[in-house]
């Protein structure tokens, strides 16, 4: 199991990024959340199997069709505070 916090930059707000991230996370069995930040980036906290979190990280670089991702920063966490489900905040 692994947990990570991602900060995603670029054109990632107003393009259904959080909803699409939720769909991907649920498909992968990942718990956590996606949240818009005031500076225009999106924060994603994800907890799941190592492979699932790595797959989500690769997907974050692409995002949904209308997104234009310019950066994905990862911070590994000791554990995630969210234990069930995946929310959009």
């Amino acid at each position: 199991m692994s947990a990570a916090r991602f900060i995603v930059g670029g054109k990632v707000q107003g393009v259904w990024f959080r909803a699409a991230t939720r769909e991907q996370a649920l498909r992968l069995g990942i718990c956590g959340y996606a949240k818009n930040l005031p500076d225009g980036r999106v924060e994603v906290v994800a907890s799941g199997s190592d492979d699932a979190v790595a797959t989500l990280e690769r997907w974050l670089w692409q995002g949904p069709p209308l997104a234009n991702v310019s950066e994905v920063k990862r911070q590994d966490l000791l554990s995630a505070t969210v234990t069930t489900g995946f929310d959009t905040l």
Side-chain angles (χ1 to χ4, degrees):
M1 293 292 285
S2 65
R5 175 179 181 252
F6 300 97
I7 301 295
V8 185
K11 183 180 177 187
V12 292
Q13 290 190 15
V15 295
W16 298 96
F17 197 93
R18 291 175 300 144
T21 300
R22 181 178 185 274
E23 289 176 11
Q24 290 296 317
L26 292 174
R27 184 178 61 79
L28 294 167
I30 289 175
C31 298
Y33 65 84
K35 174 174 90 169
N36 281 344
L37 297 176
D39 64 5
R41 298 180 299 170
V42 170
E43 175 186 38
V44 177
V45 172
S47 176
S49 72
D50 294 345
D51 287 344
V53 173
T55 299
L56 181 65
E57 181 176 10
R58 287 189 299 274
W59 181 87
L60 290 173
W61 276 101
Q62 176 185 350
L66 294 177
N68 184 4
V69 177
S70 62
E71 70 174 343
V72 177
K73 295 181 180 178
R74 178 181 177 146
Q75 175 187 13
D76 290 325
L77 304 173
L78 294 178
S79 65
T81 57
V82 178
T83 58
T84 60
F86 196 94
D87 295 318
T88 54
L89 308 175

